[in-house]
Amino acid sequence: MIYLMSLNILLSGLFARAYGGTIHDYAHSIVQATDGGYAVAGRTWSFGAGYVDLLVLKLNSTGAIQWARTFGGDTSDVASSIIQTTDGGYAVAGYTLSFGASYGSDDFLVIKLNSSGGLQWAKTFGGTSSDGALSIVQTADGGYAVAGWTMSFGAGNDDLLVIKISSAGDLQWARTFGGTGSEVAYSIVQTTDGGCAVAGFTTTYGAGDYDFLVIKLNSSGGLEWAKTFGGTSSDGAHSIIQTADGGYAVGGLTWGFGAGNADFLVLKLSGSGDLEWARTFGGANHENLWSIVQAKDGGYAVAGRTQSFGAGSGDFFVLKLSGSGSLEWARTLGGTNLDEAQSIVQTTDEGYAVAGYTYSFGAGSYDLLVLKLGPDGSYPGCVADCSPTVNTPTPSTSSPSVGANCNPTVIDQTPTSTTPSLTTTDACAPLYVEEDLFGKGFEFRALGHGIYLYIPEQAQVSLKIYDAGGRLVQRLYEGVLTSGSHTFSPEIEGRGVYLAVLGYNGSTITTRILR
């Protein structure tokens, strides 16, 4: 399908922007703020106090930077997850080599910011080996639950680690879950009963090399149930949400099921962790799902990376599923290099905001990339649709019994904060056209594989298609058109970026087409 710009509306809510400096900069998490803008967290090599610093951006609703902050020390500090807190500020979780209980090993790092990005407090949690936080959620009591991995505590190798802290960052409890292999938590969500659900992977339990691991905890960190899901190859969960029916949706990747290589894997579970349905989505190459959100219509939106579809070696890959797991639409955005989505949220206008990183666009090397889509996944002229293969696998499941208390060291920290000046680049800028440019009722948009044009009065019209190098591909139409609706069918061979040039009433408008 071809997506063509609809010229009679101002697409101010849609944007695709890269943010960064001359070295590497990544976004790992996005949240919509109460003012309609966005807060984005990740890591930067381009700015800050040391080798790698935690990076937080606050954007307005059109993607302009309102403020940017780095936090870190002399080595590596990374933000994995950001949330807006009930006081209007932000809490960020990640991991640090610059601070903590043992020099040379990562610790959990949790930072609390005010609404302007000012540091209120920072805490590290860890032991003598590597410990890192990958997800944070605010709990009903105003505190926080944080999940990730630990090598300092637990049964062996990496264990899944969940800590509960107060609103001031004081440790209330800590639990490890795992066996003699490796267990890591990528995502945590608070449940309606006051407990938490956690998703990640296990190599100790389950059917194969790596399996999805989903754990339900009560409000005190006690284990209510644990489930594994997988096959004989590798399967890992990266994101979990509680669904409107009290169950759970879990997203990740699978090497054991699907169309080929690694595919998106989405599971729908009951409130007690029983499998209700499973779907894979992918192509012949590698797909990796990082984030899932429930849409207001009861379905699901997921985001990650595809190498099977799109423009380059990896593209943003965003899918919309129905409540029963059927594919409703699939979109890619990217360039000739690697671009990967890491986090998705549904926005108040029922569209979607997606954050990740790009090597195709921006100021240099990798940049943060934030994409705002419409409710149907549209970004006219900039995203392309595709048709991934959908399969219905039957993963094996088991119910391991895991869990132990631990006592990580808690240290108050004062990371260095800087205010970087990032370069903003439009990865694909929409065409802004005043509504009255051609008169009331004018329309110009995609219609299936064709182009739809509505003109309010008879006019001389030309419509031509050019490739990205400026070569004329096709003269679609040149002549007089009567008032009303008209459709055209471009003959475009090959995938890529094309330009549609419309001449109407003495004006010429150029917009991009992705095929």
Side-chain angles (χ1 to χ4, degrees):
M1 181 181 288
I2 297 171
Y3 284 88
L4 189 60
M5 188 68 63
S6 177
L7 299 179
N8 70 322
I9 57 173
L10 184 65
L11 295 172
S12 58
L14 305 183
F15 63 89
R17 285 184 169 174
Y19 310 87
T22 56
I23 314 180
H24 301 315
D25 310 289
Y26 298 81
H28 298 303
S29 182
I30 189 170
V31 62
Q32 187 171 35
T34 53
D35 65 0
Y38 307 94
V40 185
R43 53 182 160 154
T44 177
W45 274 259
S46 300
F47 311 97
Y51 176 60
V52 182
D53 269 24
L54 181 154
L55 175 63
V56 181
L57 303 184
K58 175 64 175 66
L59 311 178
N60 69 13
S61 60
T62 62
I65 296 176
Q66 294 179 303
W67 52 258
R69 303 283 187 271
T70 69
F71 302 90
D74 59 357
T75 55
S76 179
D77 311 283
V78 175
S80 305
S81 179
I82 188 169
I83 57 173
Q84 188 168 34
T85 52
T86 53
D87 63 0
Y90 302 93
V92 183
Y95 46 96
T96 176
L97 271 172
S98 300
F99 312 99
S102 178
Y103 183 79
S105 296
D106 290 302
D107 271 21
F108 273 43
L109 176 62
V110 181
I111 291 178
K112 176 64 175 68
L113 308 179
N114 63 25
S115 59
S116 301
L119 180 66
Q120 293 182 304
W121 54 258
K123 305 264 189 175
T124 58
F125 306 84
T128 57
S129 294
S130 179
D131 313 291
L134 296 175
S135 184
I136 187 170
V137 64
Q138 189 166 30
T139 51
D141 63 0
Y144 306 95
V146 190
W149 83 87
T150 178
M151 296 184 72
S152 300
F153 312 99
N157 276 331
D158 302 299
D159 268 23
L160 184 154
L161 174 60
V162 180
I163 65 171
K164 173 67 174 67
I165 59 178
S166 70
S167 59
D170 298 321
L171 183 65
Q172 295 176 315
W173 51 257
R175 303 281 189 272
T176 64
F177 303 89
T180 56
S182 292
E183 282 72 40
V184 173
Y186 277 95
S187 182
I188 189 168
V189 61
Q190 184 164 51
T191 53
T192 53
D193 62 2
C196 292
V198 185
F201 71 77
T202 175
T203 66
T204 305
Y205 311 101
D209 191 13
Y210 289 79
D211 272 22
F212 276 42
L213 176 61
V214 182
I215 292 175
K216 175 64 175 69
L217 308 178
N218 64 25
S219 59
S220 300
L223 179 67
E224 295 187 352
W225 51 259
K227 303 274 187 174
T228 68
F229 304 90
T232 55
S233 296
S234 295
D235 313 286
H238 292 150
S239 185
I240 188 170
I241 55 172
Q242 188 170 35
T243 52
D245 63 1
Y248 304 93
V250 188
L253 83 164
T254 176
W255 290 85
F257 308 102
N261 217 319
D263 273 19
F264 280 22
L265 175 58
V266 179
L267 307 182
K268 175 62 175 70
L269 310 181
S270 70
S272 56
D274 296 323
L275 182 64
E276 295 181 337
W277 53 258
R279 301 284 187 276
T280 65
F281 305 88
N285 293 315
H286 186 96
E287 279 73 49
N288 191 358
L289 186 157
W290 283 108
S291 185
I292 187 169
V293 64
Q294 187 163 35
K296 293 178 182 178
D297 65 3
Y300 306 95
V302 297
R305 181 187 70 184
T306 178
Q307 291 179 320
S308 301
F309 312 99
S313 60
D315 273 24
F316 272 43
F317 196 29
V318 182
L319 312 183
K320 173 64 171 59
L321 314 180
S322 70
S324 60
S326 299
L327 180 65
E328 295 184 347
W329 49 257
R331 307 281 187 258
T332 66
L333 180 137
T336 56
N337 294 309
L338 175 61
D339 312 289
E340 181 161 5
Q342 297 260 293
S343 181
I344 187 170
V345 293
Q346 188 169 37
T347 52
T348 52
D349 63 359
E350 299 190 14
Y352 301 92
V354 189
Y357 54 86
T358 175
Y359 203 85
S360 299
F361 313 101
S365 294
Y366 286 101
D367 272 22
L368 289 78
L369 180 60
V370 179
L371 169 66
K372 173 60 172 66
L373 299 172
D376 60 352
S378 60
Y379 187 169
C382 293
V383 300
D385 74 338
C386 61
S387 299
T389 300
V390 182
N391 287 325
T392 303
T394 307
S396 300
T397 183
S398 68
S399 300
S401 178
V402 294
N405 295 334
C406 65
N407 189 28
T409 301
V410 183
I411 304 174
D412 290 310
Q413 304 291 352
T414 308
T416 300
S417 179
T418 71
T419 303
S421 180
L422 288 84
T423 299
T424 301
T425 307
D426 283 317
C428 186
L431 180 63
Y432 295 108
V433 179
E434 297 296 333
E435 289 190 26
D436 61 354
L437 182 63
F438 292 133
K440 184 177 180 181
F442 181 89
E443 285 189 69
F444 189 34
R445 59 181 174 83
L447 181 66
H449 289 273
I451 295 171
Y452 173 79
L453 173 65
Y454 178 88
I455 54 175
E457 58 185 8
Q458 180 174 296
Q460 181 78 26
V461 170
S462 67
L463 182 57
K464 303 173 185 178
I465 306 297
Y466 295 82
D467 66 17
R471 182 180 65 87
L472 180 64
V473 175
Q474 184 184 7
R475 297 179 185 270
L476 269 180
Y477 186 83
E478 193 159 5
V480 175
L481 283 181
T482 59
S483 62
S485 300
H486 304 273
T487 57
F488 305 90
S489 299
E491 296 176 2
I492 298 176
E493 295 182 2
R495 296 161 60 185
V497 179
Y498 296 86
L499 302 177
V501 179
L502 174 71
Y504 176 69
N505 275 353
S507 296
T508 300
I509 299 298
T510 301
T511 189
R512 275 171 286 195
I513 304 170
L514 292 183
R515 189 176 189 273

